[in-house]
Amino acid sequence: MYSISATDRTFLTMRRPPVAGFFLDFDGRAPSVAELARRVAARSGSLPAPTCLLPAGRARYWSPHAAAVDPDAHVRHWPVPDGERALHDACAALLTRELPGRARPPWDCRLLTQSSAAGRFRICFRAHHALSDGVGIAHSALALLADAPVAGPPLYPDAGGGIRAGLRALRETAAPALRPGKPWHALRRVTGPGGGARWAYGDVPLARLRALADTHRASVNDIALAALALALRSWSTELALPDPPSPARTLVPMSTRTPRQRLAPGNHIAFHRLHLPVTAATLRISAAEVRRQTDAVRRSHRRDALRALLTLPCPPASGSRALRALVNTRLYPFAVSSVSFPQSFTCFGARLSAASLFLHIGDDEQRPVYLSFTRTPDTVRCAVVTDVPRAHATALPRHWVRALG
């Protein structure tokens, strides 16, 4: 049995299901939908998250192996018209497409193919966000799809963290509630009616980010975040709006999954605050400031401290209210995740070439614009998910690519 956290409960109580997952791009021959369905059906029965049903009422635990996978409902083929625009629109539509119903585990796997692209295909693996977080979804997807076992995103053994340190970290993350700061004019711009989702991405070779990381004595993720700070400023300039508030408060989800929890259902995430230096004139200055903050997070063992805090009993309603209060545009205009596939893998002989983590929270309340950095052995993909009123935020990956030269 796996306990249902306050984070899971928050996602379960949202009026419209929040959807998380990955777009996985492969180079090679696409499998038939029958081949893909047979593999998924044969492997899913031994995995905890893909066999969980959404709990009823006030259930406190996930019950794995509660339902079998229905290949007709969980694996679909979507032949997409030719052209990048058509593929892009199909992916944006999947962000709001309904998941399998309550009688079935709430996830699916979509095979997207185009007749003009016989040598490549895309798989969209989606799940109700209460069922799993991004790192958990990645490990489940690998277990279902990969031709051979392969390492997934890093997992972090419990090194021990004090409750007191966790409370300090939580207080720091919640501090903006006391001083919300200036609004982001760029995010108040309305370009159309509410509802719907928009998605965009930009790719940069991993070798380019590694070279910059070596030059600036930072991590690849530090460089990605530093370039995002520059992108936010150039984006505001392009919109002819006032300079964005400095620094830009950003909410950073952080996985607390241990190796033992690799395939466990539910959310195993905490958050920390990052100030993006949007006034930095150069990538060097921006990277130094980002590194100063991320080094402090690592030195404080923030991940372990928050993991310890999350083990404390918390009334579901209280935890849900706290999370809803924290994750909103007034406090954090942006949320930024980072996930890494450290090894390439094949699916029916086709090699993974790029991937992007996505999250769409379809609740009525305005949420932060969501960005992700997904690393594969050759590529880092910056993706953004936003809503129709803030569709202009889809330009951010283009500015991010430009900031990296």
Side-chain angles (χ1 to χ4, degrees), residues 54 73-74 97-108 110 126:
L54 292 183
H74 287 104
R97 186 68 59 95
E98 188 175 352
L99 289 165
R102 194 171 185 85
R104 299 184 179 96
W107 63 270
D108 66 8
R110 302 272 181 147
R126 308 183 305 154

Side-chain angles (χ1 to χ4, degrees), residues 2 44 47-53 64 105-107 131-132 136 140 257 263-266:
Y2 302 91
S44 59
L47 302 178
T51 51
C52 281
L53 293 175
W107 63 270
L131 191 66
S132 191
S140 289
R257 280 183 185 263
L263 296 169

Side-chain angles (χ1 to χ4, degrees), residues 124-185:
C124 174
F125 191 88
R126 308 183 305 154
H128 192 298
H129 200 5
L131 191 66
S132 191
D133 51 57
V135 170
I137 292 171
H139 281 280
S140 289
L142 286 170
L144 290 172
L145 300 176
D147 291 337
V150 63
L155 301 166
Y156 300 91
D158 191 349
I163 299 299
R164 186 174 299 176
L167 288 170
R168 283 198 303 270
L170 182 61
R171 186 167 59 246
E172 176 196 303
T173 307
L178 301 176
R179 300 179 63 186
K182 297 178 181 179
W184 272 71
H185 292 284

